[in-house]
Amino acid sequence: MSLSVKHLLGIKELQKQDIEQIFQTADNFKEVLQRPIKKVPSLRDTTVANIFFENSTRTRISFELAERRLSADVVNFSSSGSSVSKGETLVDTVNNILAMKVDMVVMRHSASGAPWFLANHIDASIINAGDGINEHPTQALLDAFSIREAFSKGSKKATLKGKRIAIIGDIMHSRVALSNIFCLNKLGAEVMVAGPPTLMPRYIQDLGVKVEYDVKKALEWCEVANVLRIQLERQHKPLFSTLREYAMYYGINKQMLDSLKKDIVIMHPGPINRGVEINSDVADSKQSIILDQVENGVAIRMAVIYLLSGKREVLE
Amino acid sequence: MKTLLDNKQLDITLQRLAHQLVENHDNLKDTAIVGIQPRGVWMSDRIAYLVKKITGQKNILYGKLDITFYRDDVHQGDMHLPKQTDIPFSIEDKNVVLVDDVLHTGRTIRAAMDALLDNGRPKNVELMVLIDRRFSRELPIQPDYIGHTVDTVRSQKVKVYWMEKDKKDEVVLIN
């Protein structure tokens, strides 16, 4: 049994069986993480390079922890303070790192498609840790894994089939939204995207999602709300007047949740802008599984790295 | 193909192993039976059941251990998908009896000991196997309880069928 892919570039290329295999493996790693010794020796012979051309807290720490808990050797690279500022190209940078006998590359890049480009030029397995506004596959996997967990009772695992999930906020600039749509669709969930029209990509309904511009209606429809951050760093022209106005019309607060006749699950991929897309009384409420998502991130990334480390040619 | 144990012999052998275990552990309170995933678990289920029946004790410590992440052949051949590890008690200072169906090279047991010790520090660890393929060891590992010993060569295969999974109880040697 192995994944159908050599790299994890995007959820788009995965089969449903791949996702289920990753979840099943992640279940086991979650158990490992409860042990007194939260570490297994599987990848003692593997070296992973974390190459981050864009800022990150959660994802980088989560990947690094996952790698270390698989006993892999880890090297970290971030573009600030590196030779990238001297004009070195992406392929040269990565090939120089690989020349030091690195087996796997985890990369975040601000250019959409950068990991696909890299996959055409190097031999090592690549894991996309977020590329521009395109995909963030491990985030989508941990989101779906957390939803599955939220609906599971005991050791019986729930499926996402037919679950109604709303993705709310800056859909246009969010790689989390796109990867989530692909992932949830493959698992048979119903997906709605909601947010202001200026932050909604055109033709998004062609991906098989419902589109809603009224956040209240989206909340009434869904069982799970995945709230996204407003990505001001990617908005090069004003798409709404002020953050305060956005918070008024599209922010999620306790009052809104209380007016629903049901308890919905609240998610957020982080970093949170408290008081903008989500209020503290929601982010810190019992319905929120935001910190479970972070916890599950390590197990999911361990599973992805483990499964991709796969078969290797034995050196004579 | 040769039958090593038929269903009746298999039952007698398991009875004997369970009795030996009880004989060696006068206070079962500190003894834990741990089956090795995937195939050792079918055997440990039986052993745990028989030990309960023999002693009349209902609450014996029984767990299952998956060793996938501890294998030494991660990058050779196909990936192995893990099964559940379920040890719902502390193994600290316990007498642990590892249970597996076939002992061959000893590499599985090496991995199992590493996996077990990551869960705590047992007082001692013993090994119970149904079939001991003598003379084919690649590591210095010997069982404490042996159901049946066979002399085999590498190309042969020993297969244990369990009623619960395979609809029959039988141990066969395949050439």
Side-chain angles (χ1 to χ4, degrees):
Chain A
M1 289 293 270
S2 299
L3 298 180
S4 67
V5 288
K6 186 190 168 204
H7 312 282
L8 180 64
L9 301 177
I11 302 287
K12 200 176 179 180
E13 285 120 7
L14 291 187
Q15 311 284 328
K16 189 181 178 205
Q17 296 92 287
D18 293 328
I19 299 174
E20 279 163 358
Q21 206 172 320
I22 292 169
F23 284 4
Q24 193 192 329
T25 310
D27 283 332
N28 288 275
F29 282 125
K30 232 192 137 168
E31 182 269 323
V32 168
L33 295 176
Q34 319 288 335
R35 290 184 195 168
I37 297 173
K38 302 171 184 51
K39 195 168 180 163
V40 292
S42 313
L43 300 191
R44 274 179 313 190
D45 53 357
T46 304
T47 307
V48 188
N50 298 319
I51 305 184
F52 279 69
F53 291 94
E54 218 183 40
N55 296 338
S56 167
T57 311
R58 253 161 310 280
T59 308
R60 205 174 61 78
I61 291 178
S62 182
F63 265 112
E64 186 168 345
L65 265 180
E67 289 147 9
R68 289 185 189 281
R69 289 190 165 157
L70 288 165
S71 302
D73 289 318
V74 181
V75 282
N76 287 311
F77 166 94
S78 56
S79 57
S80 59
S82 76
S83 283
V84 170
S85 54
K86 298 179 194 164
E88 194 173 36
T89 66
L90 173 59
V91 171
D92 281 340
T93 303
V94 175
N95 267 333
N96 275 281
I97 293 170
L98 291 178
M100 300 180 223
K101 305 280 178 247
V102 170
D103 306 290
M104 203 183 264
V105 173
V106 175
M107 185 174 79
R108 166 167 289 191
H109 203 285
S110 56
S112 302
W116 280 263
F117 167 77
L118 200 58
N120 287 332
H121 289 88
I122 66 167
D123 291 328
S125 279
I126 299 167
I127 298 175
N128 180 3
D131 64 319
I133 59 168
N134 182 36
E135 280 231 43
H136 190 352
T138 54
Q139 180 70 43
L141 290 168
L142 75 90
D143 284 349
F145 186 78
S146 303
I147 297 171
R148 167 177 171 267
E149 187 180 77
F151 287 98
S152 294
K153 290 191 180 77
S155 61
K156 182 97 175 62
K157 300 292 176 207
T159 82
L160 269 66
K161 200 165 169 46
K163 292 275 176 304
R164 293 191 302 277
I165 292 132
I167 305 171
I168 299 170
D170 185 353
I171 308 295
M172 172 125 60
H173 301 98
S174 172
R175 52 195 175 211
V176 176
L178 194 59
S179 285
N180 258 279
I181 292 170
F182 288 137
C183 188
L184 296 169
N185 272 345
K186 285 183 191 207
L187 295 172
E190 286 183 56
V191 185
M192 175 184 279
V193 288
T198 49
L199 294 176
M200 192 65 74
R202 293 168 82 184
Y203 310 117
I204 185 123
Q205 63 276 14
D206 291 357
L207 292 175
V209 297
K210 294 183 173 60
V211 181
E212 178 59 64
Y213 300 105
D214 182 340
V215 168
K216 185 81 198 298
K217 280 187 186 153
L219 292 175
E220 274 163 7
W221 173 84
C222 73
E223 296 165 86
V224 179
N226 196 349
V227 188
L228 305 178
R229 181 175 64 91
I230 294 297
Q231 311 219 359
L232 285 175
E233 75 275 20
R234 291 186 215 282
Q235 300 178 8
H236 303 303
K237 56 183 180 191
L239 294 165
F240 50 87
S241 27
T242 61
L243 281 175
R244 187 157 165 257
E245 188 195 272
Y246 181 87
M248 257 173 75
Y249 289 106
Y250 297 99
I252 304 210
N253 55 48
K254 192 82 179 35
Q255 212 180 351
M256 261 163 126
L257 289 191
D258 287 343
S259 72
L260 306 172
K261 288 176 190 73
K262 55 181 183 182
D263 272 357
I264 61 170
V265 176
I266 299 290
M267 303 170 70
H268 193 301
I272 300 176
N273 285 148
R274 284 173 187 266
V276 183
E277 70 271 6
I278 192 167
N279 266 14
S280 287
D281 51 10
V282 175
D284 305 331
S285 69
K286 273 192 194 139
Q287 287 162 261
S288 149
I289 58 165
I290 294 172
L291 290 176
D292 299 320
Q293 288 172 267
V294 179
E295 188 192 336
N296 288 335
V298 179
I300 280 286
R301 289 177 176 117
M302 284 173 86
V304 168
I305 295 166
Y306 173 78
L307 290 169
L308 282 180
S309 74
K311 194 175 176 177
R312 194 175 303 159
E313 284 93 59
V314 180
L315 296 173
E316 296 298 326
Chain B
M1 202 170 78
K2 185 182 146 210
T3 300
L4 297 174
L5 298 171
D6 62 20
N7 66 340
K8 196 147 187 200
Q9 291 163 320
L10 179 61
D11 184 51
I12 293 168
T13 306
L14 290 172
Q15 297 267 6
R16 172 172 54 83
L17 289 172
H19 276 99
Q20 281 179 341
L21 194 157
V22 175
E23 186 186 14
N24 276 5
H25 297 256
D26 36 51
N27 187 3
L28 278 174
K29 242 183 34 223
D30 292 326
T31 299
I33 299 171
V34 174
I36 299 174
Q37 291 275 25
R39 308 267 329 168
V41 167
W42 303 107
M43 172 168 172
S44 57
D45 277 349
R46 299 271 188 101
I47 295 291
Y49 169 80
L50 289 170
V51 168
K52 279 183 204 170
K53 211 169 110 178
I54 294 161
T55 59
Q57 245 174 286
K58 284 209 177 59
N59 301 319
I60 62 159
L61 301 174
Y62 174 43
K64 295 166 186 177
L65 182 66
D66 181 84
I67 59 140
T68 311
F69 303 134
Y70 295 82
R71 299 177 69 99
D72 56 9
D73 56 357
V74 172
H75 300 306
Q76 297 165 22
D78 263 356
M79 294 299 279
H80 295 262
L81 266 196
K83 294 260 192 289
Q84 193 192 23
T85 290
D86 177 24
I87 303 182
F89 49 83
S90 163
I91 62 163
E92 210 67 27
D93 267 335
K94 297 288 189 300
N95 305 304
V96 177
V97 183
L98 285 173
V99 179
D100 204 0
D101 55 353
V102 182
L103 175 60
H104 184 210
T105 61
R107 288 182 190 267
T108 302
I109 304 304
R110 193 282 307 163
M113 286 195 286
D114 282 352
L116 186 72
L117 296 180
D118 276 3
N119 286 274
R121 185 178 186 277
K123 192 162 170 223
N124 61 52
V125 182
E126 290 177 311
L127 175 60
M128 174 188 288
V129 296
L130 181 61
I131 305 293
D132 177 14
R133 294 180 67 172
R134 196 160 51 156
F135 308 135
S136 49
R137 218 74 84 231
E138 292 168 5
L139 295 171
I141 283 168
Q142 296 308 326
D144 301 283
Y145 308 90
I146 304 171
H148 188 76
T149 305
V150 286
D151 298 339
T152 56
V153 292
R154 199 164 228 302
S155 59
Q156 292 173 311
K157 222 175 131 62
V158 174
K159 179 94 183 139
V160 183
Y161 296 100
W162 298 101
M163 185 60 87
E164 294 84 342
K165 182 173 169 57
D166 312 302
K167 310 272 180 285
K168 63 171 176 181
D169 275 350
E170 196 185 6
V171 183
V172 295
L173 178 67
I174 302 163
N175 283 306

